Amino acid sequence: MADEALFQFLHNELIQYIYKSGGNGETENGKNITKLEAMGFRVGQGLLERFTKETPRFKDELDVMKFICKDFWTCLFKKQIDNLRTNHQGIYVLQDNSFRLLSQLSAGKQYLEHAPKYLAFTCGLVRGGLSDLGLKSVVTAEVAGMPACKFQVMIQKA
Amino acid sequence: MADEALFQFLHNELIQYIYKSGGNGETENGKNITKLEAMGFRVGQGLLERFTKETPRFKDELDVMKFICKDFWTCLFKKQIDNLRTNHQGIYVLQDNSFRLLSQLSAGKQYLEHAPKYLAFTCGLVRGGLSDLGLKSVVTAEVAGMPACKFQVMIQKA
């Protein structure tokens, strides 16, 4: 039995619970997304704290991003990020061609509007993970065509 | 990085969120426990639906319980149940001497009162799993001495 199934089911329950208790309107939607992102942040921080005990230090920012794309993503989703691009000025785009937490939604365009709630927790995971590695960031996500999606990481310089 | 860490952190966030949004009083506590149990139930059902696709059918009730103690528990907690007892009349006691979701709480008695909220989701997981295998049950849990705990399963005869 895939462990990732447990994560997926729990993630779904979390979204449903937050939307049920937090409401479904336009304003509430924003708040719910913020809550999911904050939860992801704390989980990402916690995971990285455990994970990096045995991991060597990173030589630079790009090295950290590669770690997120490979090790961190594999731990979470049993696959690596498919493509990493950067402008070498603190912006990174991580593309996952088959994002696990979207793959249960149908591929049709009518489900695109629900995509943000399935991405918020993961944006938080990345931001929390980076934060634990000393990088402050803003992480956003967009769906190109389901189940592919892109996470954009903007590193905030101190 | 242990996958179980992801489950543990997410489980913690879930508990904290439910208690924050649902309140902390005596009545609310009961409701929060019920919510956690219900979420566990749905996750347990979902997991078993996926899991048993490749698993042979079970020959009897005891066979199902052994599956829960070994395969299901290992998937969730990376260890088996340490001891399974039954009265052969539909009551089973599953003892875990080092229950993962309690191991982060301190071993002192002062934390015992918080234990139920860390057990409710798992009671639901077991009940949901059994339900998917055709067994209706009532599942309760008690802590003997942290982090050991016992889950009691009462199978409801049709």
Side-chain angles (χ1 to χ4, degrees), chain A residues 50-56, chain B residues 1:
Chain A
R50 287 211 194 171
F51 198 9
T52 50
K53 275 182 197 159
E54 304 111 45
T55 311
Chain B
M1 169 160 38

Side-chain angles (χ1 to χ4, degrees), chain A residues 41-71:
Chain A
F41 180 82
R42 289 188 295 270
V43 172
Q45 267 194 320
L47 282 174
L48 255 287
E49 259 164 48
R50 287 211 194 171
F51 198 9
T52 50
K53 275 182 197 159
E54 304 111 45
T55 311
R57 287 171 179 245
F58 303 99
K59 65 180 200 308
D60 56 21
E61 198 179 280
L62 184 60
D63 210 32
V64 171
M65 292 308 303
K66 284 180 182 169
F67 168 82
I68 295 287
C69 293
K70 288 183 188 175
D71 305 71

Side-chain angles (χ1 to χ4, degrees), chain A residues 1 3 5-10 13-14 17-18 21 35 39 42-43 46-47 50-51 75 78 121, chain B residues 1 3 5-10 13-14 17-18 21 35 39 42-43 46-47 50-51 75 78 121:
Chain A
M1 170 159 38
D3 295 303
L6 178 61
F7 174 39
Q8 280 181 20
F9 285 122
L10 205 49
E13 286 294 323
L14 197 64
Y17 184 75
I18 286 183
S21 65
K35 283 178 198 167
M39 290 170 111
R42 289 188 295 270
V43 172
L47 282 174
R50 287 211 194 171
F51 198 9
C75 161
K78 310 291 173 274
F121 184 83
Chain B
M1 169 160 38
D3 295 304
L6 177 61
F7 174 39
Q8 280 180 21
F9 285 122
L10 204 48
E13 286 294 323
L14 196 64
Y17 183 75
I18 285 183
S21 65
K35 281 177 199 167
M39 290 169 110
R42 287 189 295 270
V43 173
L47 283 174
R50 286 209 195 172
F51 197 9
C75 161
K78 307 293 172 277
F121 184 82

